[in-house]
Amino acid sequence: MTLAYAQRANDNAYLAQHYDILRQWNDYLVDEALYTQNQISTDDFAGSLANQTNLALKGIIGIEAMAQIANRTGHAEDGANFTAIAHSFIIQWQALGINYDAAPPHTTLSYGQNDTYGLLYNLYSDAELGLQLLPQSVYDMQSNLYPTKFNQYGVVGPLDTRHTYTKNDWELFCAAIAAQDTDTEFISTVAKWLGVTSTNFAFTDLYDTVTGNYPGITFIARPVVGGLYSLLALKSAPSNGYVAA
């Protein structure tokens, strides 16, 4: 988010002002991102898990984002170091977190769990920042997976294969970076859920893809529904977010 702001506002002074704390956080990512500990993620209600493929991706993209922050603030040595680490990690991540033998191939919920999958919503940040860290083949692979998993109100085993609920903000993050047909199907299922289900509170981001109802957890009008604007946010994304030091 810090880099996204600087890209759009052309405010490198803000990055320089906070460089030390940003670099400190990046040092943590370098140590912990590729092999994540047994921990909860932003979907804390789903429970803890080690080596989460999607969470690892989030950290690796963060390292590449820090490389661009370094380049924008005159820290050329840091920039070169961090981008080398990010590119090394992303190659390893593809070997660890993708089941290439599946039909169709797809990322897994966690490393080695080849019968699992999930919404790879953290891939969105690579596109939003114009980093081009991930090859197009990863985008295409996930876009090809999702249509094989749709249920009435979303992707079956949607958020991940531990549950049958989904989060529509994460679905729209995936839609924004998918092929047009997949994008349309995501949006259509969210619209269908909104139009025909009996949920009786203000807009929720979490619901069951089978019943359309609350999955034992009732989220109401949370700020995260801003994720539904993810398609619009990409309109301001740089075509190439790499900045030479």
Side-chain angles (χ1 to χ4, degrees), residues 53 93 97-99 105-109 116-118 120 138 141-142:
T53 304
W93 175 88
I98 295 177
N99 180 2
H106 56 81
T107 56
T108 58
L109 176 61
T116 65
Y117 62 91
L120 195 69
V138 173
M141 175 184 68
Q142 291 301 113

Side-chain angles (χ1 to χ4, degrees), residues 39 102 104 145 179:
Q39 61 186 288
L145 168 72

Side-chain angles (χ1 to χ4, degrees), residues 146 149-156 166 168 171-172 175 182-197 207-209 212:
Y146 299 135
K149 304 298 182 182
F150 272 100
N151 197 7
Q152 183 170 205
Y153 302 118
V155 176
V156 179
T166 195
N168 48 37
E171 287 198 303
L172 268 291
T182 304
D183 177 350
T184 299
E185 192 163 4
F186 269 122
I187 295 171
S188 297
T189 57
V190 172
K192 181 179 181 181
W193 165 80
L194 180 62
V196 305
T197 57
Y207 53 87
D208 192 278
T209 59

Side-chain angles (χ1 to χ4, degrees), residues 20-30:
D20 288 346
I21 191 65
L22 291 170
R23 191 186 189 285
Q24 181 179 335
W25 174 237
N26 186 72
D27 289 343
Y28 169 82
L29 293 179
V30 169

Side-chain angles (χ1 to χ4, degrees), residues 50-155:
N51 294 326
Q52 297 178 52
T53 304
N54 191 40
L55 183 60
L57 178 61
K58 182 178 184 179
I60 297 167
I61 292 173
I63 296 170
E64 179 59 27
M66 186 63 206
Q68 301 315 312
I69 290 172
N71 288 345
R72 283 173 169 268
T73 54
H75 298 84
E77 186 174 347
D78 279 354
N81 181 37
F82 297 151
T83 199
I85 292 170
H87 281 79
S88 172
F89 280 5
I90 209 63
I91 291 171
Q92 296 175 69
W93 175 88
Q94 290 176 78
L96 292 164
I98 295 177
N99 180 2
Y100 289 102
D101 295 327
H106 56 81
T107 56
T108 58
L109 176 61
S110 66
Y111 299 161
Q113 294 189 354
N114 285 344
D115 58 344
T116 65
Y117 62 91
L119 292 171
L120 195 69
Y121 52 82
N122 284 323
L123 181 59
Y124 177 83
S125 298
D126 183 54
E128 179 193 18
L129 300 172
L131 298 177
Q132 302 177 18
L133 179 62
L134 279 293
Q136 184 61 40
S137 59
V138 173
Y139 288 84
D140 295 341
M141 175 184 68
Q142 291 301 113
S143 183
N144 291 335
L145 168 72
Y146 299 135
T148 71
K149 304 298 182 182
F150 272 100
N151 197 7
Q152 183 170 205
Y153 302 118
V155 176

